[in-house]
Amino acid sequence: MKKLLFSVAIAIFSNTLSYSQGCSDAGVCSIGHSFQTSEKEFKNGIEIGSIFGAGEADVTYFSPYITYTRTVNERLSLSSKITYSVANGSFGKRGALGDGYLIGNYNWNKKTKTQWSTLLGFKIPFTSSNQKINGFSLPLDYQSSLGTFDLIVGANLNYKKWDFNTGIQIPVFNNNKNSYFKEFSDTNDFPSTNLFERKSDALFRTTYTIQTTNKKFTFKPNVLFIYHLGEDNFENAFGKRETIIGSDGLTINGNLIGAYRINSKNSLELSLATPFVVRTIRPDGLTREFTAGLIYKISF
């Protein structure tokens, strides 16, 4: 068992050093957490976390968030989440509120070895994705939100120690007012994203759960497949919509989650992720070389 866990960790870290594109997404990437409710004997759960990531060019990210989950009954749970993001790079440093999430999770009748659950959620942006530094427009890599109101739908199948979940995130209303043109910048690191319009994302994740005998430690290696369902577009300097060639396609992320159960109410979680396969171009600014997250959970 120790050799297996060590091998998984080495694989994750070696890929962190080897790959230089893609790791995050518009929200659907964390869909697996939405299927997890607080401990059965408690009705409420609070999760406080912070994610550190390295993105395109020299941009680094510090992204704290807080989540509250209310277990209504053994079938239904409701959760809300608020995010914040600080981006730091050659353009400067900019921090702002990101998005709010409202998600409902429903557990269906459990069979002998399987448990199905489904979720329905909404993402609400707190900005129009046009934050500036000293009056200068910033690429989406520096924005804390994409400025879209999104619908999130998902399903999860639990079979013994395996979880298989799938979902789709659909931009329903676009309030993106970004005004960045690479032609007016002194770098080609970021594509033009003036009045950016983003397509939907579809996700499939498979997770295997490993627990120590005393259940103090839990390890969850998992692989995520995210497919961007179309090419994004923006409005060029002549006022015409222009497609961003190569912005659709597949991203594959590797993720390792380790959790320590302090007691029945409290736990700590460490998450490490890195990409294996990326899209040709990622104008949405969600590219990460790697992410590392530290999370504290309390149930009451």
Side-chain angles (χ1 to χ4, degrees), residues 171-182:
V172 177
F173 176 72
N174 185 29
N175 191 40
N176 185 296
K177 297 179 181 178
N178 188 262
S179 55
Y180 176 76
F181 287 100
K182 71 175 182 180

Side-chain angles (χ1 to χ4, degrees), residues 106-151:
Y106 185 81
N107 292 309
W108 299 88
N109 284 329
K110 185 174 183 179
K111 297 184 179 180
T112 306
K113 296 181 180 180
T114 61
Q115 169 74 66
W116 279 97
S117 59
T118 53
L119 68 80
L120 176 66
F122 303 92
K123 180 180 78 71
I124 303 166
F126 293 131
T127 79
S128 57
S129 199
N130 197 29
Q131 302 292 318
K132 299 180 180 181
I133 294 179
N134 297 325
F136 291 97
S137 299
L138 296 172
L140 293 180
D141 298 70
Y142 285 82
Q143 305 296 335
S144 60
S145 170
L146 291 177
T148 58
F149 293 79
D150 296 353
L151 171 68

Side-chain angles (χ1 to χ4, degrees), residues 250-279:
L250 179 67
T251 298
I252 302 177
N253 293 335
N255 183 218
L256 177 61
I257 298 172
Y260 173 67
R261 182 185 174 96
I262 301 172
N263 52 45
S264 61
K265 293 184 178 181
N266 301 273
S267 66
L268 287 173
E269 186 175 287
L270 175 66
S271 175
L272 302 170
T274 191
F276 301 145
V277 175
V278 296
R279 292 179 283 148

Side-chain angles (χ1 to χ4, degrees), residues 143-216:
Q143 305 296 335
S144 60
S145 170
L146 291 177
T148 58
F149 293 79
D150 296 353
L151 171 68
I152 302 174
V153 180
N156 183 79
L157 171 63
N158 174 259
Y159 175 75
K160 295 183 177 180
K161 295 183 178 181
W162 291 92
D163 278 278
F164 305 93
N165 56 68
T166 185
I168 186 169
Q169 181 168 347
I170 304 169
V172 177
F173 176 72
N174 185 29
N175 191 40
N176 185 296
K177 297 179 181 178
N178 188 262
S179 55
Y180 176 76
F181 287 100
K182 71 175 182 180
E183 294 85 351
F184 306 139
S185 175
D186 60 357
T187 177
N188 289 319
D189 289 336
F190 311 105
S192 298
T193 49
N194 181 57
L195 299 178
F196 182 75
E197 290 186 355
R198 178 182 168 85
K199 300 299 183 180
S200 302
D201 284 303
L203 170 144
F204 175 79
R205 181 205 306 261
T206 179
T207 304
Y208 185 74
T209 299
I210 304 167
Q211 277 190 320
T212 56
T213 304
N214 61 5
K215 296 186 177 181
K216 278 286 188 181

Side-chain angles (χ1 to χ4, degrees), residues 84-103:
Y84 189 90
S85 181
V86 179
N88 190 12
S90 58
F91 279 73
K93 186 176 182 180
R94 194 69 172 87
L97 284 172
D99 300 294
Y101 294 84
L102 299 172
I103 294 176

Side-chain angles (χ1 to χ4, degrees), residues 202-256:
L203 170 144
F204 175 79
R205 181 205 306 261
T206 179
T207 304
Y208 185 74
T209 299
I210 304 167
Q211 277 190 320
T212 56
T213 304
N214 61 5
K215 296 186 177 181
K216 278 286 188 181
F217 292 93
T218 301
F219 300 93
K220 294 185 176 183
N222 59 91
V223 180
L224 299 83
F225 301 82
I226 305 169
Y227 199 90
H228 198 53
L229 297 175
E231 292 179 325
D232 304 321
N233 64 82
F234 72 101
E235 185 176 297
N236 63 27
F238 301 100
K240 294 184 178 181
R241 304 305 303 183
E242 185 174 327
T243 298
I244 303 174
I245 305 300
S247 56
D248 61 342
L250 179 67
T251 298
I252 302 177
N253 293 335
N255 183 218
L256 177 61

